[in-house]
Amino acid sequence: MKIAFRSDIGRIRLVNEDRAWAQNQDNGCAVAIVADGMGGHLAGEVASQLAVDTFRESLNGKELTALSLEERRSLVHSAILQANEVVYDMASRNDQYHNMGTTVVAVIAGQESGVIGHIGDSRVYIWSKGSFEQLTEDHTLVNELAKHGQISQEEAANHPRRNVLTRALGTDEQVEVDLIGFDWAPDDLLLLCSDGLSTMVSDDEMSAVLERDERDLEAKAEQLVELALQAGGDDNITVVLLHHAGNTEQEG
């Protein structure tokens, strides 16, 4: 598998509160995580860094290819719950971190299938054979309103409260983690991103970048970030791409 990663502070924010990590593991498994922090002065970047570090440490020493799909689901679930505990504990013990939290979207991808763990509005998309699909569902107030028919999808995209989360990691002692399974095949692409990409760049624009054969993975990640910047760069922008290309070296 090939991996590319880009993060940019954007044009408005003074601090990049996004954090990400991605790596090829043993025998063709890949792992990736994106976290978009929130909170007061510096608290957002603390929350997202703690979440990524805790998730990464939870996977240390695990032989991922030896695990069944159900065991991978359990591992992603427990790693994210551990991250929630760490962030919540830090926020509870330090006034300057009060109420800090983060989104999280994490993937363990094998050769034929994978598992996503998800809290918040960072997303995972899959590009496969020309189709582009969002695999995660945003945990936002606006998405709840749209799901129940109270506002249209067009209204949701431009709603003034579209960034209000209904669920985040670290803000409560207990949290529910969405677990999503997916199948993929050679030449498929996974895109993990913070909302700094998905609120600024349309699905059609993202899909068009991913399907261009002339661009390597690094160039595709760079182009996605550039599109978000050209659209205004209102937020931090983070992109992780996983390309199902067999047992290949990591690109970025």
Side-chain angles (χ1 to χ4, degrees):
M1 295 190 203
K2 295 179 180 178
I3 300 172
F5 158 62
R6 287 288 183 277
S7 189
D8 193 284
I9 195 170
R11 300 197 187 280
I12 307 295
R13 300 297 179 91
L14 300 177
V15 176
N16 192 344
E17 296 184 321
D18 289 358
R19 294 292 184 272
W21 169 70
Q23 190 175 78
N24 276 314
Q25 300 289 75
D26 50 359
N27 299 322
C29 260
V31 294
I33 180 172
V34 169
D36 179 357
M38 60 191 187
H41 180 62
L42 301 182
E45 62 180 286
V46 171
S48 56
Q49 189 68 61
L50 280 172
V52 170
D53 289 347
T54 305
F55 180 83
R56 186 175 185 171
E57 289 161 11
S58 296
L59 268 57
N60 270 350
K62 300 289 194 304
E63 293 288 339
L64 298 180
T65 52
L67 301 179
S68 67
L69 187 59
E70 194 55 44
E71 288 170 329
R72 291 178 191 171
R73 287 174 63 91
S74 179
L75 180 58
V76 169
H77 187 249
S78 63
I80 292 176
L81 290 183
Q82 178 66 28
N84 187 75
E85 185 178 321
V86 169
V87 174
Y88 180 78
D89 181 62
M90 176 73 80
S92 301
R93 290 188 290 106
N94 297 272
D95 286 344
Q96 71 268 36
Y97 298 144
H98 175 68
N99 240 10
M100 73 175 176
T102 183
T103 71
V104 65
V105 64
V107 171
I108 297 179
Q111 288 293 327
E112 297 178 353
S113 61
V115 176
I116 300 163
H118 166 56
I119 302 170
D121 63 354
S122 295
R123 294 178 177 179
V124 178
Y125 297 87
I126 187 167
W127 186 90
S128 177
K129 300 176 180 65
S131 69
F132 186 68
E133 178 187 0
Q134 182 180 334
L135 297 178
T136 54
E137 182 179 305
D138 295 347
H139 302 136
T140 60
L141 173 64
V142 165
N143 189 49
E144 286 298 314
L145 294 173
K147 273 172 44 180
H148 291 94
Q150 294 175 261
I151 60 174
S152 68
Q153 289 297 334
E154 290 75 21
E155 289 171 320
N158 299 293
H159 198 283
R161 302 190 69 196
R162 65 183 180 274
N163 294 325
V164 176
L165 298 178
T166 56
R167 202 189 307 176
L169 184 146
T171 55
D172 296 290
E173 190 171 5
Q174 305 292 328
V175 70
E176 181 183 353
V177 183
D178 282 4
L179 293 172
I180 304 150
F182 66 91
D183 296 323
W184 71 332
D187 290 332
D188 289 353
L189 280 162
L190 285 183
L191 164 62
L192 290 75
C193 66
S194 61
D195 68 335
L197 178 72
S198 57
T199 59
M200 305 303 292
V201 182
S202 71
D203 286 9
D204 286 346
E205 289 174 305
M206 287 189 271
S207 181
V209 171
L210 297 184
E211 71 183 358
R212 288 174 189 154
D213 291 337
E214 73 273 12
R215 286 203 173 101
D216 66 19
L217 207 60
E218 293 285 350
K220 288 178 181 181
E222 193 69 50
Q223 179 63 25
L224 289 169
V225 170
E226 186 58 34
L227 286 173
L229 290 171
Q230 289 172 4
D234 292 354
D235 201 352
N236 308 144
I237 308 149
T238 298
V239 170
V240 176
L241 291 175
L242 303 182
H243 180 209
H244 194 315
N247 296 321
T248 51
E249 292 300 312
Q250 180 173 335
E251 286 196 349

